[in-house]
Amino acid sequence: MAAAGFLGAFVIFEPAPYELFVCVLMVLFFLGGLTVTRHSMPLLLLTSLYSLGGMITLFQLTSPSSQVVYVAVTFFLGLTSWFFALVVQQDVFRLKVIINGYVIGAVLTAALGSIAYLGLLPGGDMFLRFGRARGAFQDPNVFAPFLVLPAAWLWHGILTKPSNLILLRAAGLSILLVGILLAFSRAGWGLVLFALGGVYLVAFMQARTLVKRVQLLALAGVGAVAMLGALLVALQFEQISSVFETRARVVQDYDGGALGRFERHALGFQLAFEKPFGIGRSEFAKLFTEDPHNIWLKSLMVYGWLGFVAYLVLTLWTLKCGFKTLFYSRPWTPYLQVLYVVFLGHIVMAYVIDIDHWRHMFLITCLLWGIYGLEASHQKQMQRN
């Protein structure tokens, strides 16, 4: 389980080690008697319907070969998501193991990207793209959001756990934040601010004493000053400041204007009513020069209305289940709170980026569903007692 979480940080080539390892893991667990629970079935059903929408879209295409592989990957990721939910539902300790593996892998890949960007790593160009850090990923815009969950988890530990490991957590968080900064991903920047702020708000609301709330306010002040100071120091370097100035604009040239990102969204949603079964993965870029860069529009174009509805239901169901138990006192509550905030941040961010093949998004979703299964079993046990 730890290795699975760790390997998700290395996806330069496809199939990545993560896919191959998880395939072996799934076979071993099911041969070993992994139990299928009814609490996991909605996740399997909805991800399968999502993929089925993409399969139906195949019949609209004159050359469906690339779409076949794409939808097959979607189905595989959905299947792995269901598998991890089952694994977590059987043993809450596995949740900790997976997250710890994820954090270690994320810190390592963030360090690779950052050191390569600074020119301190021989052959480090393989960890860069377009003059931006990408770590062991294919795209900086996936690399940066991948680092957000471990950053939020370490921040949560700093806020709520004993101080004996605070320096270690702060060091790991610093490495992750540097990696996110040097990826120059607006989505990553916005997501990490949302996640850190959301985790802080949850921790502050859960604090029961005035002393604890004063401590949290002090930590927030120190953290904000440290981040601002580090950013100001980083901007003294021309290599960083020039790219930062360009990337920090809220609306880029390719966002506004004729056939910009937002006009493409409007035209794409109109097209969805004319093509209810979708148009395929590559066709949208042929019509409008770029990909949708919007998960809802991407769902409509690649998976049709069936896929869109399945993804929408899955999203709302996941949010609903988590919100009901967000402040319960359970062994898995800290994990739920961090995962829920990061999941919500991804959904907000998904309005301007495609996330349908992000492995870490599937992992976040399945861990949440694993926690929901744990909560359902706990509630059932309480009723028996």
Side-chain angles (χ1 to χ4, degrees):
M1 289 294 100
F6 177 81
L7 289 174
F10 303 92
V11 287
I12 289 183
F13 307 106
E14 292 185 325
Y18 173 81
E19 277 84 29
L20 302 176
F21 184 80
V22 172
C23 283
V24 174
L25 206 60
M26 290 172 64
V27 172
L28 292 176
F29 265 85
F30 279 111
L31 288 177
L34 182 64
T35 304
V36 175
T37 66
R38 65 183 181 88
H39 305 298
S40 67
M41 295 311 295
L43 176 61
L44 177 62
L45 175 63
L46 290 169
T47 54
S48 297
L49 287 174
Y50 187 60
S51 301
L52 178 60
M55 294 177 190
I56 294 173
T57 304
L58 292 174
F59 295 100
Q60 318 301 311
L61 307 177
T62 55
S63 179
S65 56
S66 62
Q67 175 87 357
V68 170
V69 175
Y70 194 82
V71 175
V73 171
T74 303
F75 178 75
F76 171 77
L77 291 174
L79 192 62
T80 62
S81 186
W82 175 62
F83 162 71
F84 280 112
L86 290 175
V87 166
V88 169
Q89 287 176 17
Q90 280 196 344
D91 187 351
V92 65
F93 179 71
R94 292 170 180 164
L95 183 62
K96 177 181 179 180
V97 170
I98 294 170
I99 293 292
N100 286 345
Y102 188 150
V103 171
I104 294 170
V107 170
L108 180 56
T109 197
L112 286 173
S114 301
I115 295 172
Y117 184 86
L118 297 174
L120 302 177
L121 183 66
D125 287 347
M126 68 178 298
F127 301 114
L128 305 176
R129 188 179 186 189
F130 306 133
R132 299 157 57 188
R134 68 171 183 176
F137 281 79
Q138 294 181 341
D139 189 338
N141 291 322
V142 182
F143 166 66
F146 174 85
L147 302 179
V148 171
L149 175 61
W153 178 246
L154 292 175
W155 176 233
H156 183 273
I158 292 171
L159 295 174
T160 63
K161 295 183 179 179
S163 59
N164 55 323
L165 293 177
I166 191 169
L167 293 179
L168 182 61
R169 292 190 179 103
L173 177 58
S174 299
I175 293 171
L176 294 169
L177 292 178
V178 170
I180 293 170
L181 171 65
L182 298 181
F184 298 102
S185 166
R186 293 177 299 161
W189 292 346
L191 181 59
V192 75
L193 291 175
F194 180 95
L196 296 184
V199 166
Y200 179 83
L201 179 62
V202 169
F204 192 84
M205 292 172 62
Q206 202 169 20
R208 302 303 182 190
T209 65
L210 179 60
V211 172
K212 183 60 178 177
R213 292 194 172 187
V214 171
Q215 290 177 343
L216 290 176
L217 288 172
L219 281 171
V222 171
V225 170
M227 287 179 62
L228 181 59
L231 178 60
L232 291 175
V233 170
L235 293 179
Q236 301 308 306
F237 297 90
E238 176 64 24
Q239 180 183 3
I240 296 176
S241 62
S242 60
V243 183
F244 181 86
E245 182 180 356
T246 301
R247 296 294 301 170
R249 296 172 189 162
V250 176
V251 178
Q252 297 286 343
D253 296 337
Y254 49 79
D255 292 325
L259 286 185
R261 185 192 305 256
F262 303 120
E263 184 175 333
R264 292 199 306 273
H265 290 174
L267 294 172
F269 282 115
Q270 293 176 19
L271 180 62
F273 287 97
E274 302 172 13
K275 303 286 186 179
F277 298 111
I279 62 173
R281 175 195 174 192
S282 305
E283 300 305 309
F284 189 88
K286 295 177 182 178
L287 293 172
F288 302 111
T289 71
E290 292 282 349
D291 289 330
H293 297 309
N294 177 305
I295 188 56
W296 308 109
L297 182 55
K298 181 72 171 286
S299 297
L300 288 166
M301 295 294 100
V302 181
Y303 307 93
W305 279 94
L306 175 60
F308 172 83
V309 172
Y311 197 88
L312 178 62
V313 171
L314 176 61
T315 300
L316 295 177
W317 199 332
T318 304
L319 291 172
K320 173 180 174 292
C321 290
F323 186 77
K324 292 191 302 182
T325 61
L326 201 57
F327 293 101
Y328 285 8
S329 181
R330 304 280 191 265
W332 49 83
T333 296
Y335 300 98
L336 170 61
Q337 291 174 343
V338 174
L339 287 164
Y340 189 87
V341 169
V342 176
F343 178 85
L344 179 59
H346 275 80
I347 295 304
V348 174
M349 178 190 66
Y351 180 74
V352 293
I353 199 165
D354 302 325
I355 63 173
D356 62 320
H357 272 190
W358 286 12
R359 291 159 183 80
H360 74 270
M361 185 59 177
F362 278 91
L363 184 62
I364 291 169
T365 304
C366 73
L367 294 181
L368 283 170
W369 277 81
I371 291 173
Y372 304 158
L374 289 168
E375 179 63 33
S377 298
H378 180 77
Q379 294 284 356
K380 188 175 181 179
Q381 185 65 36
M382 289 178 63
Q383 291 174 1
R384 288 177 180 174
N385 296 335

